[in-house]
């Protein structure tokens, strides 16, 4: 994170490539959640030879901040980020109420909230806003599995629209789950993921590649 904001995502892609090199992994399946999907897509765009396919969870394209009215929304978003500097204890009760049905997700999100590194989080989000994930998606020819829960209608609608933009994508909607879908229904998500990878022959291709 100690680089210019415009270089953060590129640097993270380079770090991921170096990690795969260190692990002697020639080709990988990239599984990413939420804004992490932006990094995954740019990595696949920069290093297509290193990615077999992708699984994107709760991922949707950001708004065009040059569009009418969107600049104001961007200002409100930045103001909302400032709330992250408030004590984490102020948000724990509402988090507990929201995730009352999904306690495993609650405990993970609570830990993340308590140990949040706010300045780095904001720098990361600013970097992601400068990244054209939609443009990358149109260029990706690899198989993509797009996953979302069914408990947030707005988010689900955005994810469905996102899935329709990939040249080769499949949509999986998990019942009784909301963001983050894979934490609300981990066993179901793992089963869907494994079935997808078997269908894509990812295990055989990985063995052949290594």
């Amino acid at each position: 994170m100690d680089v210019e904001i415009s270089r953060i995502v590129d640097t993270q892609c380079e770090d991921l490539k170096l990690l795969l090199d260190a692990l002697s992994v020639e080709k990988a399946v990239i599984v990413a959640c939420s804004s992490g999907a932006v990094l995954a897509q740019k990595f696949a765009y920069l290093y297509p030879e290193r990615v077999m396919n992708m699984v994107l969870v709760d991922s949707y394209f950001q708004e065009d901040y040059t569009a009418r009215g969107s600049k104001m929304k961007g200002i409100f978003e930045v103001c909302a980020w400032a709330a992250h500097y408030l004590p984490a204890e102020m948000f724990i009760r509402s988090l507990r109420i929201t995730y009352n049905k999904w306690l495993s997700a609650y405990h993970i999100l609570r830990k993340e909230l308590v140990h949040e590194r706010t300045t780095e989080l904001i720098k990361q989000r600013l970097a992601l806003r400068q990244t054209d994930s939609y443009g990358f998606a149109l260029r990706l020819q690899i198989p993509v599995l797009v996953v979302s829960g069914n408990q947030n209608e707005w988010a689900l609608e955005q994810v469905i629209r996102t899935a329709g933009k990939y040249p080769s994508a499949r949509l999986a909607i998990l019942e009784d789950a909301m963001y983050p879908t894979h934490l609300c229904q981990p066993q179901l998500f793992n089963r869907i993921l494994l079935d997808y990878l078997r269908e894509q022959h990812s295990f055989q291709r990985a063995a052949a590649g290594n």
Side-chain angles (χ1 to χ4, degrees):
M1 301 294 289
D2 58 345
V3 296
E4 294 293 328
I5 288 176
S6 60
R7 278 281 304 153
I8 287 176
V9 175
D10 286 337
T11 301
Q12 292 169 337
C13 288
E14 293 163 4
D15 288 345
L16 179 53
K17 178 180 180 296
L18 291 173
L19 175 61
L20 294 179
D21 290 343
L23 296 173
S24 300
V25 176
E26 295 183 10
K27 300 193 75 170
V29 175
I30 306 296
V31 183
C33 175
S34 188
S35 56
V38 179
L39 173 62
Q41 290 170 94
K42 186 157 193 182
F43 180 83
Y45 170 72
L46 293 174
Y47 308 104
E49 72 284 357
R50 306 302 296 270
V51 183
M52 280 186 275
N53 48 53
M54 292 195 305
V55 179
L56 306 180
V57 185
D58 300 319
S59 171
Y60 54 86
F61 299 123
Q62 302 180 60
E63 293 185 49
D64 178 4
Y65 286 91
T66 63
R68 182 180 179 182
S70 293
K71 289 185 178 181
M72 184 60 67
K73 292 179 182 178
I75 293 174
F76 284 127
E77 183 179 83
V78 172
C79 291
W81 294 346
H84 287 275
Y85 284 103
L86 296 173
E89 290 74 16
M90 295 179 62
F91 305 97
I92 289 177
R93 185 172 184 275
S94 60
L95 186 70
R96 179 67 173 81
I97 293 172
T98 301
Y99 290 92
N100 183 55
K101 295 172 58 179
W102 307 286
L103 292 182
S104 60
Y106 162 73
H107 288 297
I108 294 172
L109 294 174
R110 184 184 187 280
K111 182 178 180 180
E112 182 178 285
L113 178 65
V114 170
H115 297 285
E116 185 175 84
R117 295 178 294 186
T118 303
T119 300
E120 291 187 5
L121 179 145
I122 292 176
K123 286 181 66 177
Q124 181 73 58
R125 292 188 177 181
L126 288 171
L128 293 172
R129 279 186 55 182
Q130 297 180 15
T131 305
D132 180 19
S133 56
Y134 176 72
F136 296 141
L138 295 178
R139 297 178 177 89
L140 297 179
Q141 300 300 319
I142 58 175
V144 179
L145 175 64
V146 181
V147 181
S148 179
N150 69 337
Q151 292 295 303
N152 185 316
E153 291 184 6
W154 181 86
L156 178 58
E157 179 182 344
Q158 300 303 313
V159 170
I160 291 173
R161 290 175 55 191
T162 295
K165 301 297 183 181
Y166 294 94
S168 179
R170 177 180 305 176
L171 177 66
I173 301 174
L174 276 61
E175 297 293 325
D176 192 30
M178 62 179 290
Y179 176 94
T181 299
H182 63 299
L183 296 183
C184 290
Q185 294 291 350
Q187 293 182 341
L188 178 56
F189 172 76
N190 288 342
R191 186 163 65 248
I192 289 174
L193 175 61
L194 288 174
D195 289 345
Y196 173 75
L197 296 180
R198 289 192 185 101
E199 183 180 323
Q200 294 293 321
H201 306 292
S202 297
F203 298 114
Q204 292 90 335
R205 290 164 60 193
N210 290 329

